[in-house]
Amino acid sequence: MYRDLVASLRYSIEIIGSITVGRVGLILLTLFIMIGLLADLLAPYDPSQPVSEPYQPPSPLYIFGTDGLGRDIFSRSLYGIRTSIIIGVLTGLLTTMIGLMVGLISGYRGGLADNISTALIDIMLTIPPLPLIMVLVAILDRSFTTVILVIALTSWPQVARLVRSMVLSIREYQYVEAARALGAGSSRIMFRHILPAVIPLAISQLIVSISYAIVIEAGLAFLGLRNPLELSLGILLNEAQTGVGTGSAFVAGAWWWILFPGMLISMIVMSFVFIGYAVDVAINPRLKRY
Amino acid sequence: MSLTRYIVRRGIQSIITFFIILAVTFVIIRIRGNPLAFYIQNPRIPAEVVRDLIEEWGINEPLHIQFINYLLKIFQLDLGYSIHYRKPVIELIATYLPWSIWLLGMSVTISLVLSMIIGSYLATRYGSRLDRFMVFMGLTIRSFPVFWIGMIILYYFAYTLNLFPISPTTYLLTFPPQNILEWITTLFYISALPIISLAMVHFGGDLIIMRGAALSVSTDDYVVVAKAVGFSNSYILRKIIIRNSVLPMVTYASLNYALIMSGSVIIEAVFSYPGVGWLIYQAVLLSDYFLIQGAFLILSLVVIVFNFITDLIYMLLDPRVRLR
């Protein structure tokens, strides 16, 4: 099972890399992961201390300029990238795992479990996710763990639905029937025979979930519903919108305070979208590769 | 299946969904125990107001009685009282909801129409430089966080160029429109930027989907036949490709109302646009529980109603659905 996963991951990366858009995505993503890991080394200044006059436009010293308290936006962004990627990846993994399990079990087992989970999925897909997440985070708390759990618990239905419909068709394949005829138990069939066939879909959904989680986390932070000490790119934008004890970026004309953090979020998400597009092309041969 | 039976069945489904959302909301609001505890500590709120609310909603009763009480209240359209705005929640929603519907409706329509025209055209120019460029643009725009696009548009058009108001809610309060003409100009004046921002974000995704739909239609046999017969390209595009690509687009739209609603909430927060999204944002920041509850229920209800309407449209467009 573990070996299957590694093999299919390596295979996916090869295929993704063979498509230009996918290659760009992979390179961008590697770059951002490196930046996230090395934020402490790469940041030229302390992200939480004023290092200059407020509202300094970008210059060789402060390449992204400074914010309303004179803190270096570039250093703050580097730490923000780390938070965004960590939250995105953890949430994406959790979302995909839940969706994969629910989809697998309800698709293979059918019956009551299937009816209940399908109904649940349908209902959860009609609840607008962001307001729900906002309300939950506001009522529970704004910490790292809560945000990850809340986003994952509200976004797995999308994955589960796709996995379920794929399992429904795989279940009828002859090799599965053969395994059943040989007396394989249902958990063996599910994990040994059906799961590997669903893995490509799960990988494509993992990518979608990660970029979704990054955007939602940024949105929550932007709305001021995150702990401001866990520096993230959305928090920078929240400070730009509301001002930090001083005027907002709008009033101060500090366009750099808005432009750079948002551009970084977009580029991180873009790297995932590009990879996702390449995965779709690889899975769906009807689309042409370029 | 007959038309009415289909409509009735979908209607019942929608009602059940709404009931479950009612129950979920009831639970969420009470996760941390007494939802009014926050108000009791707050010295700014008169003690008798809180006492009345506790009395009225039976907050001290056992949970099942509270739940029945809650359902009865909701069906009498009593959504409680907003502590922050000092008004009944239903009144607030009645004034803010039309703004949200307008924002949603306009941005979705603009994006759908544009992507239908451009997407199907791209499908006919499949693989060309323009096609690649637009796909790239679509994927790029789709990666932008909605609120960031909103912030940039707000910064440039409202603050730098002074073309639009910096805060629609304040503008509406300071210059209340007097007659119909003023109403219409105000409406466009304050909603133009939020609509453009939202439409832009939707357009990124819609374009990709429409192009894909048109592409798969354009390899279908009847299109090949039409080409062989000698119909002009523009005729095939207008009369065959666009029309047959509409169905997948409608499905896509109906799967996405919940997400679209999320985008519109955050855009309302960026622009302080007087919609239900702005209300729920304020309510969440101020822990105004009745307003959170009411606004959340209304947002979900809007999605359910939109879904229902889309299904009806789908059924009219595609007779096969009725037969299923």
Side-chain angles (χ1 to χ4, degrees):
Chain A
M1 153 100 201
Y2 172 73
R3 234 179 5 211
D4 284 350
L5 201 68
V6 171
S8 55
L9 254 179
R10 177 179 297 160
Y11 180 63
S12 318
I13 289 176
E14 265 168 30
I15 291 192
I16 295 164
S18 72
I19 298 161
T20 317
V21 179
R23 198 155 51 233
V24 174
L26 279 179
I27 293 170
L28 264 179
L29 181 63
T30 320
L31 195 72
F32 280 118
I33 291 177
M34 299 279 277
I35 292 176
L37 288 175
L38 301 176
D40 299 287
L41 294 175
L42 294 172
Y45 302 100
D46 184 339
S48 53
Q49 294 300 320
V51 293
S52 158
E53 296 293 303
Y55 309 121
Q56 288 298 306
S59 65
L61 265 180
Y62 312 105
I63 48 179
F64 286 180
T66 63
D67 68 6
L69 291 176
R71 293 174 300 190
D72 180 39
I73 294 177
F74 180 67
S75 305
R76 291 174 71 72
S77 301
L78 294 186
Y79 283 90
I81 291 174
R82 170 188 289 180
T83 318
S84 293
I85 290 187
I86 293 178
I87 291 196
V89 171
L90 289 179
T91 315
L93 281 171
L94 190 59
T95 309
T96 316
M97 293 276 268
I98 302 175
L100 191 59
M101 284 304 127
V102 175
L104 203 58
I105 293 172
S106 81
Y108 184 73
R109 286 287 169 90
L112 187 66
D114 187 32
N115 287 340
I116 292 175
S117 61
T118 322
L120 188 66
I121 290 170
D122 281 347
I123 288 164
M124 286 192 66
L125 289 176
T126 42
I127 301 180
L130 185 71
L132 178 63
I133 294 170
M134 278 164 70
V135 171
L136 281 172
V137 167
I139 289 179
L140 297 166
D141 64 76
R142 301 168 182 200
S143 70
F144 190 79
T145 340
T146 313
V147 168
I148 291 179
L149 286 177
V150 166
I151 299 178
L153 288 176
T154 49
S155 50
W156 61 266
Q158 205 87 36
V159 184
R161 206 184 46 175
L162 291 172
V163 170
R164 177 182 169 274
S165 60
M166 193 167 175
V167 170
L168 279 181
S169 67
I170 294 175
R171 192 175 66 171
E172 307 301 328
Y173 283 2
Q174 290 189 332
Y175 75 91
V176 178
E177 211 171 303
R180 210 178 290 134
L182 287 172
S186 53
S187 65
R188 185 178 164 84
I189 294 178
M190 260 198 280
F191 292 103
R192 193 75 208 128
H193 299 285
I194 295 184
L195 186 62
V198 186
I199 291 283
L201 176 69
I203 291 177
S204 124
Q205 282 305 300
L206 174 66
I207 292 159
V208 175
S209 311
I210 293 176
S211 51
Y212 176 78
I214 290 174
V215 172
I216 291 281
E217 192 275 334
L220 281 178
F222 168 75
L223 294 173
L225 296 174
R226 288 273 290 116
N227 179 356
L229 295 177
E230 288 161 14
L231 206 46
S232 82
L233 292 168
I235 285 172
L236 293 187
L237 289 175
N238 169 258
E239 292 170 347
Q241 172 98 5
T242 56
V244 269
T246 51
S248 69
F250 299 110
V251 178
W255 51 266
W256 54 89
W257 196 359
I258 300 170
L259 187 69
F260 295 117
M263 215 158 73
L264 288 172
I265 302 176
S266 313
M267 283 170 75
I268 297 175
V269 174
M270 214 183 292
S271 64
F272 283 107
V273 171
F274 284 174
I275 295 174
Y277 184 77
V279 170
D280 286 345
V281 171
I283 293 176
N284 180 1
R286 260 172 94 159
L287 299 163
K288 198 181 142 198
R289 301 178 181 186
Y290 48 69
Chain B
M1 193 191 301
S2 75
L3 205 78
T4 36
R5 265 189 65 194
Y6 180 79
I7 295 176
V8 169
R9 203 186 61 179
R10 276 295 287 119
I12 291 172
Q13 266 174 14
S14 306
I15 292 168
I16 293 173
T17 308
F18 187 61
F19 259 101
I20 292 171
I21 290 177
L22 275 175
V24 169
T25 313
F26 178 83
V27 174
I28 290 176
I29 295 291
R30 284 163 183 76
I31 293 179
R32 296 294 286 271
N34 182 355
L36 295 175
F38 179 79
Y39 301 151
I40 297 171
Q41 300 150 2
N42 191 334
R44 274 187 54 231
I45 300 161
E48 62 272 13
V49 172
V50 181
R51 206 165 47 232
D52 285 353
L53 280 174
I54 290 179
E55 189 74 32
E56 209 186 313
W57 287 74
I59 299 291
N60 291 331
E61 310 279 338
L63 275 180
H64 62 278
I65 296 183
Q66 272 190 52
F67 186 60
I68 293 168
N69 210 335
Y70 160 87
L71 288 183
L72 287 176
K73 285 268 181 207
I74 306 274
F75 286 110
Q76 289 161 10
L77 288 181
D78 179 356
L79 295 176
Y81 183 81
S82 160
I83 297 284
H84 173 67
Y85 289 90
R86 292 167 194 274
K87 271 184 189 165
V89 171
I90 190 75
E91 233 175 73
L92 285 166
I93 285 172
T95 39
Y96 284 73
L97 185 61
W99 288 98
S100 288
I101 305 270
W102 164 254
L103 172 61
L104 265 178
M106 282 300 279
S107 55
V108 169
T109 315
I110 291 175
S111 162
L112 277 181
V113 170
L114 277 182
S115 58
M116 259 156 46
I117 297 169
I118 300 175
S120 56
Y121 175 70
L122 288 183
T124 61
R125 302 276 308 271
Y126 176 67
S128 66
R129 192 169 287 180
L130 180 75
D131 179 39
R132 291 177 185 208
F133 175 73
M134 290 302 285
V135 169
F136 180 79
M137 284 305 291
L139 290 176
T140 311
I141 292 176
R142 206 158 67 154
S143 322
F144 292 161
V146 199
F147 55 93
W148 183 57
I149 293 189
M151 283 174 89
I152 290 176
I153 288 180
L154 179 68
Y155 182 89
Y156 193 68
F157 291 97
Y159 281 89
T160 311
L161 296 181
N162 280 317
L163 287 177
F164 293 94
I166 54 177
S167 166
T169 8
T170 334
Y171 181 84
L172 204 60
L173 284 176
T174 21
F175 308 102
Q178 304 299 339
N179 50 46
I180 303 226
L181 194 69
E182 275 186 31
W183 252 114
I184 295 170
T185 47
T186 310
L187 180 65
F188 281 99
Y189 186 51
I190 72 180
S191 64
L193 294 184
I195 289 176
I196 292 170
S197 318
L198 258 188
M200 247 180 93
V201 181
H202 297 166
F203 179 70
D206 288 354
L207 180 71
I208 303 282
I209 301 289
M210 179 63 195
R211 174 181 167 277
L215 258 181
S216 66
V217 169
S218 60
T219 55
D220 279 350
D221 290 345
Y222 50 85
V223 177
V224 179
V225 169
K227 273 184 195 156
V229 167
F231 285 120
S232 73
N233 278 339
S234 82
Y235 179 86
I236 294 175
L237 185 65
R238 275 182 294 118
K239 296 284 176 185
I240 302 177
I241 296 184
I242 292 192
R243 289 196 178 180
N244 284 292
S245 313
V246 168
L247 276 182
M249 277 307 277
V250 174
T251 321
Y252 173 72
S254 72
L255 285 174
N256 270 296
Y257 282 130
L259 285 177
I260 290 173
M261 184 56 95
S262 296
S264 123
V265 166
I266 206 160
I267 277 293
E268 289 183 9
V270 173
F271 286 93
S272 46
Y273 177 85
V276 182
W278 169 252
L279 270 187
I280 199 170
Y281 173 48
Q282 294 296 305
V284 161
L285 287 184
L286 301 160
S287 299
D288 196 338
Y289 277 83
F290 283 109
L291 192 53
I292 292 180
Q293 174 185 294
F296 183 70
L297 286 175
I298 290 299
L299 290 177
S300 311
L301 187 62
V302 170
V303 174
I304 293 176
V305 171
F306 269 53
N307 269 329
F308 181 65
I309 295 172
T310 314
D311 274 4
L312 294 190
I313 294 176
Y314 197 103
M315 193 189 59
L316 292 175
L317 288 176
D318 185 357
R320 282 170 302 179
V321 177
R322 268 171 273 167
L323 299 173
R324 243 192 268 145

